[in-house]
Amino acid sequence: MDSSVVLINVFAVPQGLEDEFLSKWHQTAQLMKNEPGFIETKLHRSLDPTSRFQFINIAKWSTQEAWQAAFSKRLAQQEIFEQQLPVEANPALYKVEVQY
């Protein structure tokens, strides 16, 4: 049984802060990718500039516990960029229910 989980995080980024958001996202991703249990991440950008959620991050982690440990560590060290920008982040963990 696959215990991996998928983090889906949708971001509402105020207009004009997209470049700063991308810079902070890259910094955070560089830190997270070195954490135990990290598998991969992909940041998606909306083709519609008026979309509420301009960016969606989809990351795969080996287990829920691995993601929680990494997130808690970075949060404690104030390295989670959402705290530093007026960005609405909506992270949640998922498991694959159906795949074709």
Side-chain angles (χ1 to χ4, degrees), residues 31-71:
L31 296 171
M32 295 298 261
K33 77 177 196 171
N34 294 316
E35 292 295 328
F38 174 86
I39 298 172
E40 68 176 355
T41 190
K42 293 178 182 175
L43 183 66
H44 304 263
R45 187 175 195 159
S46 175
L47 297 176
D48 177 358
T50 64
S51 175
R52 177 175 177 208
F53 300 114
Q54 282 296 303
F55 297 94
I56 298 175
N57 178 41
I58 300 176
K60 190 170 183 182
W61 287 80
S62 62
T63 64
Q64 181 175 352
E65 294 77 20
W67 178 82
Q68 288 174 325
F71 185 79

Side-chain angles (χ1 to χ4, degrees), residues 28 31-32 35 67-84:
T28 302
L31 296 171
M32 295 298 261
E35 292 295 328
W67 178 82
Q68 288 174 325
F71 185 79
S72 296
K73 175 182 172 184
R74 296 300 170 197
L75 192 61
Q77 295 175 2
Q78 306 255 323
E79 294 173 336
I80 301 296
F81 72 90
E82 291 105 347
Q83 298 177 340
Q84 303 163 14

Side-chain angles (χ1 to χ4, degrees), residues 10 19 21 27 31 33 36 61-62 65 67 88 90 92 95 97:
V10 295
D19 289 343
F21 168 82
Q27 290 173 12
L31 296 171
K33 77 177 196 171
W61 287 80
S62 62
E65 294 77 20
W67 178 82
E88 177 192 336
N90 301 278
K95 67 179 180 97
E97 192 68 27

Side-chain angles (χ1 to χ4, degrees), residues 7-19:
L7 166 71
I8 299 177
N9 196 353
V10 295
F11 297 96
V13 178
Q15 214 168 24
L17 291 179
E18 295 90 352
D19 289 343

